Amino acid sequence: MPHVPVIAVIGTLDTKSNEIAYVRDKIIGLGARALVIDSGILGTPTIPADIDRTAVATAAGKTLGEVQQAGSRSAAVELMEVGLAAIARDLYQAGKLHGVLCLGGAEGGLMGAAAMQALPVGVPKFIVSPSASGRREFGPFMGSSDVTVMHSVIDILGLNAIARSIFDNAAAAIVGMATWAGKTPHSDRPAVGVTMLGQTTPGAMVLVRILEDAGYEPIIFHANGVGGPAMDALAREKVLAGVIDFTLSEPANSMFNGIHSTDDRRMTAAPESDIPLLVVPGAADFFNQGPINTVEPAYSQRPMYRHNPVATLVRIQTDEMKELGKIIANRIRTATAPTAVLAPTKGFSLIGVMDGPIADPQADLRLIESLEHNLPASIPVERADMDINDAAFGKLAAERFLGLMARTGLGRRPLLQERA
């Protein structure tokens, strides 16, 4: 028999009490337990909460009055996010939480998302919001976690035929996930994070096959501004036994505020967590822009490639590659676990090879030289006279990574452990 899951239901009980009560009762009717958490700030709750807003503020290290007097609604919301994240994390670690459902608009949805993003991958997370639509960015809802977002179609105000239909589906979804799935990652093999994009796929596929044959479980992350940080988060949680940062489009994009930009913590997780790391400058020769007719005029004279109707890849120039090499080196130079760089000299991407649309061997060389100059002797930089997608390069990358792992003594000890 499946266990009886506990579902946290997060919402502002001063404005959405009827809707929260409806979903709470529906969850109970489906055989689960509901734990109502009030994320409201100013108004008066009209139904009781299992965890009230005062407790949420306390979990953020504040009184409710301090939250209410934070100076702005945004500041108050951010404090409640801290409290909700702390409560969700504590409940989960105590085995008292198996899924989270949030009903909310822009601020309410973000507060619920904060709680969800504090939980491991695999724990069911479900947001119902009118903000899940149109041209809005979903990044704040998702973070680097596995949050499911459902458009409420109508605003969350009142119980009507449409609202009940949406809420019924949401309740059934979260209970179903928590009852019949809802497991965090588990493997009997050491897991290895690998970054990849379409421009580095052929080489990465060769690498992955060899890792699998060697008894590892490769986990591939799309290096699109979210995948890399997601991999880094799992490295910090020690879910990964090793990392192969095969595709560095994210730090490259960050120099230009490109579509795949991340913050400056990208690539620091493996060094900080004492995890073996192989770095390959795949896709470090371009940054991502939108449709070709929207590329900023400042870049109009550069080589570029129309990847698809909504994505244009713009060449990074020689002096910029030198700076990129310095940035990468600064992020990994403190590593104490076995760490190395393997750099292909005949192209970092499918379009960067000789005679490719953005080919610039001198610029690529400048990045390699910058890595060599800025990294300590403990982190060797090896040049390979081939392009990143050569099968021989994928094989060499696998060999170099397996060599790093052999130095750790980890062997094939399972690193992914199932969590309660």
Side-chain angles (χ1 to χ4, degrees):
M1 286 290 293
H3 71 108
V4 178
V6 179
I7 308 298
V9 183
I10 300 175
T12 53
L13 298 188
D14 51 347
T15 62
K16 295 175 173 55
S17 59
N18 291 338
E19 296 82 3
I20 294 294
Y22 180 88
V23 170
R24 174 200 64 199
D25 294 345
K26 183 61 65 171
I27 287 170
I28 294 170
L30 291 168
R33 294 174 55 199
L35 184 76
V36 174
I37 303 176
D38 184 9
S39 59
I41 297 170
L42 293 176
T44 301
T46 57
I47 64 170
D50 297 292
I51 298 176
D52 64 23
R53 59 186 62 186
T54 298
V56 175
T58 299
K62 302 290 183 180
T63 67
L64 182 58
E66 288 173 328
V67 171
Q68 293 170 338
Q69 300 300 318
S72 68
R73 179 167 179 80
S74 175
V77 166
E78 289 174 2
L79 288 172
M80 294 297 275
E81 288 177 351
V82 172
L84 288 163
I87 287 171
R89 190 181 303 113
D90 289 347
L91 287 169
Y92 176 74
Q93 291 175 350
K96 298 178 180 179
L97 179 67
H98 306 100
V100 183
L101 173 65
C102 172
L103 306 183
E107 290 84 3
L110 290 175
M111 287 190 285
M116 297 177 193
Q117 292 171 23
L119 300 174
V121 168
V123 179
K125 312 165 182 75
F126 207 101
I127 296 174
V128 182
S129 175
S131 294
S133 62
R135 301 182 58 154
R136 296 175 178 86
E137 293 186 5
F138 280 37
F141 281 163
M142 304 294 189
S144 59
S145 191
D146 56 337
V147 178
T148 300
V149 182
M150 180 181 190
H151 185 210
S152 63
V153 181
I154 59 176
D155 208 347
I156 301 176
L157 182 62
L159 293 171
N160 52 60
I162 294 175
R164 286 191 293 270
S165 177
I166 297 293
F167 297 160
D168 287 354
N169 284 339
I174 193 72
V175 171
M177 287 189 281
T179 302
W180 301 105
K183 300 296 185 182
T184 52
H186 172 74
S187 177
D188 57 0
R189 298 175 290 159
V192 178
V194 182
T195 49
M196 188 181 81
L197 281 181
Q199 289 291 326
T200 60
T201 294
M205 289 176 66
V206 174
L207 166 69
V208 164
R209 285 196 294 269
I210 296 172
L211 292 179
E212 289 174 337
D213 290 343
Y216 289 87
E217 181 173 57
I219 301 178
I220 315 305
F221 297 84
H222 197 236
N224 60 359
V226 177
M231 181 182 73
D232 287 348
L234 292 173
R236 287 192 171 90
E237 295 175 14
K238 298 298 181 72
V239 171
L240 302 178
V243 169
I244 304 176
D245 230 332
F246 196 79
T247 304
L248 305 187
S249 59
E250 291 161 329
N253 269 260
S254 297
M255 289 183 62
F256 304 91
N257 194 31
I259 292 173
H260 292 177
S261 294
T262 59
D263 64 27
D264 58 10
R265 296 186 71 204
R266 177 69 181 92
M267 297 188 71
T268 63
E272 291 173 356
S273 303
D274 205 32
I275 292 173
L277 169 66
L278 178 68
V279 173
V280 176
D285 47 357
F286 62 81
F287 60 97
N288 297 66
Q289 296 280 279
I292 197 164
N293 63 335
T294 69
V295 174
E296 295 181 26
Y299 306 135
S300 62
Q301 300 305 309
R302 298 181 182 225
M304 61 182 69
Y305 178 74
R306 185 178 183 270
H307 186 62
N308 59 47
V310 298
T312 305
L313 313 182
V314 182
R315 176 72 218 194
I316 300 176
Q317 298 179 329
T318 303
D319 289 346
E320 297 160 345
M321 293 289 273
K322 178 181 178 181
E323 178 62 22
L324 178 58
K326 183 177 180 180
I327 290 170
I328 294 167
N330 285 341
R331 295 185 184 180
I332 67 172
R333 63 178 295 111
T334 60
T336 55
T339 299
V341 176
L342 179 63
T345 61
K346 291 188 175 180
F348 295 165
S349 63
L350 287 171
I351 58 174
V353 297
M354 186 177 298
D355 298 324
I358 68 164
D360 190 340
Q362 288 304 310
D364 293 350
L365 180 60
R366 188 62 58 87
L367 183 145
I368 297 171
E369 292 173 341
S370 179
L371 289 168
E372 292 170 337
H373 176 74
N374 289 291
L375 283 171
S378 59
I379 302 179
V381 179
E382 178 183 356
R383 301 188 188 191
D385 191 27
M386 55 192 83
D387 77 68
I388 193 169
N389 289 304
D390 282 346
F393 184 81
K395 180 180 179 182
L396 181 62
E399 291 174 353
R400 294 295 181 265
F401 176 76
L402 294 175
L404 296 177
M405 294 300 293
R407 289 166 51 191
T408 68
L410 289 175
R412 288 170 171 74
R413 180 168 60 89
L415 264 286
L416 277 174
Q417 300 296 330
E418 185 171 1
R419 305 180 192 185

